[in-house]
């Protein structure tokens, strides 16, 4: 079915038992976020907060909190959309089987954006909106489910526009209340191209921020769509309702179905400090200068609902977003990169820090010993593709070695890799390059390194499933635990400096060169071995969000030969928290205690958490 509005979606979910109302007053400072997080952890329903302290507007969250609920909201269009994306990647299919795809063609045609007459919006102020703060150190209230609309200055109009989900800071820092807000976007985003063009012309970029509307609209804002497929067209096809829009008397584009619209301009090279903000890696992104948006107007429909989510260490609601996106576009990426069978941005490791990939290894089939060749070519292509280029660690293996292997089985995939890699040959570094803006393990903002680790061929070793009775490590490395077969979490002293870390690793290196470690190809230095080894999610989160490959990847018996780095013994990743890292997200105990009370008998969340 196609929802005409966010309210229609809320009503449908409530009738089907997928949404509950919270009628008591809730505080937008930390409390709403804490409730959301707790309900999400229990795979609970969507939440409609009817009484938000300090605002007359209700708010809804956790709409996409489970994959099942997300698929339910798009139950009548999901299969058509998957086919539409599939055809976009291989249009010859439609030519070969025209009658099979008639329905999809009709869907695509009906999805064209529709310009309407002006809708009777009311006006309000930024300060009247729900001022939701998710984490204790956040710099102020943020819009966490926005749809940020900009048009190409060289090709105005909706068909060349960009709709993206970039965070918006509503207040705090140096922003003039009700007149200025912060606009944060990362490298490689569509809005950046529009702003660069506007800057070159010396003119301000018009920006419209939509909040709410049918659920197809925010999902479209985060979709990695094939080039040439507009987000507004996709929103119409997914929601079975054309994206309706009009322009106000100042020339700003307004979504006719949005609950709220904030319009404003971004002038060339005009920035103000934005942040901190608790982000999807599980840490704060710190305060940095980002584009300043001067607010023109704040619109809202009659009886609007504010839509929000909470961002933090995965899994979170955006994890379900990602699962739904994979459901829709799972076959698209392999068609864009020749030889790729699967790619998985590992959510448990914060998405961008860690990629798993499976490719074909068909080069020189006449050689007796198979080794990574074609998959290295594929790795270069992956690390040069859109958002995939923000990855730090890429593990890639050959499909031919185990056709049953899948990238979403994290433990099995890592074991497959570590059974086969030759650390003297199979690690390939990219230094002084770009990484995720939100990743503070690098040498500067947006600056860091990458490593591609490739494996092809027969097993080289059997991984240790338990440590040999005689195994030991020198002091101060006397606390350690196997996290997974062949992967050892080692508790190390608190990191103080690069030079001291080098001395500590030299001690470990010298000791391990005289110890049998054939079944132990990976050692991870960490602050808490028990936490790191507790489960696979903790292991990948600590290992890959707290290390920069060029600085923190070491090895026993390491060498450089013809500018290639390798090692003869285990790879060592120093995943301790460093002085320049951003702090991890920690919940407020007093707020958590209030949420505990809500879960008790008679509380609004009893039976939910």
């Amino acid at each position: 079915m196609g929802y005409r509005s966010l309210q229609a979606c809320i009503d449908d979910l409530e009738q089907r038992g997928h949404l509950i109302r919270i009628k008591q007053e809730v505080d937008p400072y930390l409390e709403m976020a804490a409730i959301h997080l707790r309900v999400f952890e229990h795979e609970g329903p969507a939440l409609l907060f009817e009484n938000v302290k300090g605002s007359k507007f209700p708010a809804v969250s956790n709409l996409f909190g489970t994959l099942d609920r997300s698929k339910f909201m798009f139950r009548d269009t999901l299969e058509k959309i998957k086919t539409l994306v599939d055809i976009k990647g291989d249009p010859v299919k439609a030519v070969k089987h025209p009658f099979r795809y008639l329905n999809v063609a009709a869907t695509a045609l009906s999805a064209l954006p529709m310009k309407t007459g002006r809708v009777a919006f009311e006006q309000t102020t930024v300060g009247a909106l729900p001022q939701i703060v998710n984490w204790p150190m956040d710099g102020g209230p943020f819009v966490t489910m926005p749809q940020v609309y900009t048009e190409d200055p060289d090709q105005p109009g909706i068909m060349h526009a960009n709709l993206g989900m970039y965070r918006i800071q509503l207040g705090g820092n140096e922003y003039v209340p009700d007149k200025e807000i912060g606009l944060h976007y990362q490298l490689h985003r569509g809005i950046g191209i529009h702003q660069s063009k506007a800057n070159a012309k010396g003119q301000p970029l018009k920006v419209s921020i939509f909040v709410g509307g049918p659920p197809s609209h925010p999902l479209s804002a985060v979709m990695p769509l094939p080039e040439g497929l507009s987000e507004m067209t996709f929103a119409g096809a997914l929601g079975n309702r054309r994206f309706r829009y009009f322009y106000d008397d100042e020339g700003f584009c307004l979504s006719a179905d949005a609950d709220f619209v904030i319009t404003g301009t971004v002038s060339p090279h005009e920035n103000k400090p934005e942040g901190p903000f608790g982000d999807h890696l599980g840490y704060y992104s710190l305060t940095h200068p980002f584009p300043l948006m001067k607010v023109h107007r704040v619109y809202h429909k009659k009886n609007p609902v504010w839509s929000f989510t909470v961002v933090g260490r995965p899994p979170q609601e955006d994890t379900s977003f990602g699962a739904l996106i994979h459901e829709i576009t799972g076959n698209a990426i392999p068609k864009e990169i020749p030889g790729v069978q699967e790619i998985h941005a590992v959510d448990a490791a914060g998405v961008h820090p860690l990629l798993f990939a499976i490719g074909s290894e068909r080069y020189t089939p006449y050689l007796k010993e198979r080794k990574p060749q074609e998959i290295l070519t594929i790795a270069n292509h992956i690390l040069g593709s859109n958002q995939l280029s923000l990855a730090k660690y890429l593990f890639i293996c050959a499909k031919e070695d185990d056709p049953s292997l899948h990238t979403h089985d994290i433990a099995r995939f890592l074991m497959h890799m570590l059974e086969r890699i030759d650390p003297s040959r199979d690690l390939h570094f990219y230094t002084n390059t770009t990484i995720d803006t939100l990743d503070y393990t690098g040498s500067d903002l947006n600056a860091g390194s990458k490593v591609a680790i490739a494996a092809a061929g027969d097993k080289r070793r059997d991984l240790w499933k338990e440590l040999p009775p005689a195994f030991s490590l020198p002091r101060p490395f006397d606390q350690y635990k196997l996290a997974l077969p062949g992967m050892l979490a080692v508790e190390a002293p608190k990191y103080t400096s690069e030079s001291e870390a080098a001395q500590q690793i030299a001690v470990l290196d010298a000791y391990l060169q005289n110890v049998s470690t054939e079944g132990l190809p990976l050692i991870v230095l960490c602050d808490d071995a028990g936490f790191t080894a507790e489960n696979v999610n903790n292991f990948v989160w600590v290992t890959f969000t707290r290390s920069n490959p060029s600085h923190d990847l070491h090895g026993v018996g390491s060498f450089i030969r013809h500018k290639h780095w390798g090692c003869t013994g285990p790879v060592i990743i120093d995943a301790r928290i460093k002085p320049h890292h951003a702090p991890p997200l920690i919940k407020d105990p007093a707020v958590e205690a209030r949420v505990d009370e809500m879960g008790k008998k008679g509380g609004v969340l009893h039976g939910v958490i």
Side-chain angles (χ1 to χ4, degrees):
M1 62 185 298
Y3 298 118
R4 297 176 61 86
S5 64
L6 176 57
Q7 186 63 56
C9 175
I10 289 170
D11 293 342
D12 184 44
L13 292 179
E14 185 176 29
Q15 291 169 10
R16 304 299 185 97
H18 292 298
L19 177 143
I20 62 171
R21 294 173 180 262
I22 297 179
K23 298 181 181 296
Q24 71 185 58
E25 183 181 73
V26 290
D27 195 333
Y29 181 75
L30 304 184
E31 189 174 59
M32 291 173 68
I35 293 169
H36 168 104
L37 289 171
R38 193 75 66 84
V39 172
F40 174 83
E41 288 169 8
H42 287 80
E43 299 184 350
L47 300 166
L48 180 62
F49 297 90
E50 293 188 329
N51 190 358
V52 179
K53 184 178 180 180
S55 178
K56 67 178 182 179
F57 302 114
V60 68
S61 76
N62 207 34
L63 288 174
F64 298 88
T66 69
L67 179 59
D68 286 344
R69 183 157 63 249
S70 299
K71 292 170 70 172
F72 172 81
M73 288 190 291
F74 303 113
R75 56 194 179 276
D76 293 338
T77 59
L78 195 58
E79 292 304 317
K80 295 177 186 177
I81 291 302
K82 288 162 68 174
T83 306
L84 182 63
V85 173
D86 188 42
I87 292 176
K88 182 69 179 177
D90 186 5
V92 175
K93 287 184 178 179
V95 176
K96 291 182 176 178
H97 308 284
F99 295 105
R100 183 185 303 173
Y101 295 108
L102 280 178
N103 195 24
V104 174
T107 298
L109 182 63
S110 67
L112 291 175
M114 181 173 70
K115 191 173 183 180
T116 68
R118 292 188 180 181
V119 174
F121 278 131
E122 300 175 24
Q123 291 193 42
T124 186
T125 63
V126 170
L129 302 173
Q131 303 293 296
I132 299 172
V133 177
N134 288 349
W135 296 97
M137 287 175 54
D138 280 359
F142 284 81
V143 187
T144 52
M145 193 74 86
Q147 307 145 47
V148 182
Y149 176 94
T150 56
E151 295 186 2
D152 188 331
D154 292 336
Q155 301 179 83
I158 198 164
M159 295 311 293
H160 297 286
N162 177 74
L163 190 70
M165 192 171 286
Y166 319 118
R167 75 177 189 236
I168 308 296
Q169 186 169 349
L170 293 176
N173 296 353
E174 301 172 13
Y175 300 118
V176 178
D178 291 324
K179 295 182 179 180
E180 296 177 344
I181 60 179
L183 174 59
H184 177 121
Y185 64 85
Q186 297 180 54
L187 297 175
H188 310 294
R189 299 293 192 176
I191 187 176
I193 298 172
H194 291 174
Q195 188 178 347
S196 294
K197 290 183 177 182
N199 289 353
K201 293 176 179 289
Q203 65 186 38
L205 178 69
K206 288 187 173 182
V207 179
S208 299
I209 301 167
F210 312 142
V211 179
S216 59
H217 292 190
L219 180 60
S220 298
V222 295
M223 283 291 297
L225 297 175
E227 190 169 342
L229 185 59
S230 129
E231 289 91 358
M232 279 60 69
T233 298
F234 187 86
L238 180 61
N240 202 26
R241 174 177 169 80
R242 296 174 70 179
F243 187 95
R244 300 163 66 245
Y245 71 100
F246 65 97
Y247 290 88
D248 70 4
D249 57 11
E250 294 186 317
F252 288 93
C253 182
L254 277 62
S255 165
D257 292 322
D259 287 66
F260 297 85
V261 181
I262 305 172
T263 63
T265 54
V266 177
S267 296
H269 314 298
E270 194 167 357
N271 304 321
K272 276 194 175 182
E274 185 265 2
F277 178 75
D279 228 312
H280 70 266
L281 270 71
Y283 309 89
Y284 287 95
S285 57
L286 303 180
T287 304
H288 297 285
F290 274 95
L292 171 69
M293 178 171 159
K294 294 181 178 177
V295 177
H296 282 227
R297 293 174 184 168
V298 182
Y299 297 98
H300 68 84
K301 68 190 299 185
K302 186 178 180 181
N303 300 320
V305 180
W306 183 260
S307 179
F308 77 99
T309 188
V310 181
V311 185
R313 182 194 160 185
Q316 298 295 347
E317 186 177 2
D318 52 4
T319 303
S320 299
F321 256 125
L324 183 61
I325 289 170
H326 179 75
E327 182 92 10
I328 295 170
T329 66
N331 295 324
I333 291 178
K335 292 171 183 172
E336 294 181 10
I337 302 178
V340 168
Q341 306 296 319
E342 283 186 41
I343 297 179
H344 177 205
V346 181
D347 182 74
V351 182
H352 288 144
L354 179 62
L355 290 181
F356 288 166
I358 298 175
S360 298
E361 186 54 79
R362 300 163 295 191
Y363 289 1
T364 56
Y366 50 82
L367 292 180
K368 184 176 182 181
E369 181 188 8
R370 296 176 64 253
K371 61 181 181 180
Q373 294 180 102
E374 184 179 5
I375 58 175
L376 290 177
T377 302
I378 296 169
N380 286 327
H381 198 155
I382 290 172
L383 292 176
S385 299
N386 301 321
Q387 295 300 302
L388 300 177
S389 66
L390 298 178
K392 288 190 302 185
Y393 289 86
L394 168 60
F395 286 78
I396 184 167
C397 65
K399 181 75 172 178
E400 293 77 8
D401 294 330
D402 183 357
S404 69
L405 185 67
H406 292 288
T407 55
H408 283 75
D409 188 337
I410 298 174
R412 185 181 168 200
F413 187 89
L414 283 172
M415 291 165 59
H416 175 95
M417 291 288 306
L418 293 175
E419 286 171 341
R420 289 166 174 78
I421 65 165
D422 176 353
S424 70
R425 179 193 67 193
D426 293 338
L427 283 73
H428 306 270
F429 288 85
Y430 306 71
T431 60
N432 295 324
T433 186
T434 56
I435 59 173
D436 189 349
T437 303
L438 309 177
D439 191 327
Y440 285 87
T441 61
S443 51
D444 204 347
L445 187 67
N446 297 323
S449 64
K450 309 178 189 301
V451 63
I453 302 173
D458 297 332
K459 281 178 58 174
R460 291 176 168 270
R461 63 187 64 83
D462 291 319
L463 303 179
W464 286 350
K465 295 182 179 179
E466 56 184 33
L467 295 174
F471 180 84
S472 65
L473 292 177
R475 295 187 65 186
F477 305 106
D478 49 5
Q479 299 293 322
Y480 45 83
K481 186 177 180 180
L482 275 178
L484 291 165
M487 292 164 253
L488 187 67
V490 176
E491 198 162 307
K494 181 179 178 180
Y495 188 102
T496 57
S497 68
E498 190 172 333
S499 59
E500 184 177 36
Q503 293 173 6
Q504 293 166 345
I505 291 168
V507 170
L508 195 58
D509 180 7
Y511 182 86
L512 289 174
Q513 289 198 48
N514 299 304
V515 174
S516 174
T517 56
E518 183 56 30
L520 187 67
L522 178 61
I523 294 173
V524 174
L525 303 185
C526 58
D527 298 298
D528 185 335
F531 174 82
T532 303
E534 184 177 350
N535 54 57
V536 66
N537 284 357
N538 284 4
F539 180 71
V540 297
W541 183 62
V542 168
T543 302
F544 301 108
T545 67
R546 298 182 181 179
S547 61
N548 175 20
S550 62
H551 290 56
D552 298 322
L553 200 154
H554 311 274
V556 174
S558 64
F559 62 87
I560 296 175
R561 183 178 299 122
H562 304 305
K563 303 180 179 63
H564 177 82
W565 184 95
C567 61
T568 57
V571 171
I572 301 172
I573 298 178
D574 189 343
R576 290 175 286 180
I577 293 179
K578 319 298 191 301
H580 64 281
H581 288 187
L585 302 179
I586 299 174
K587 297 177 181 178
D588 184 289
V591 175
E592 291 303 306
R594 295 207 300 269
V595 178
D596 289 339
E597 290 297 317
M598 295 179 188
K600 293 179 179 178
K601 190 172 182 179
V604 68
L605 298 178
H606 179 64
V608 177
I609 63 173

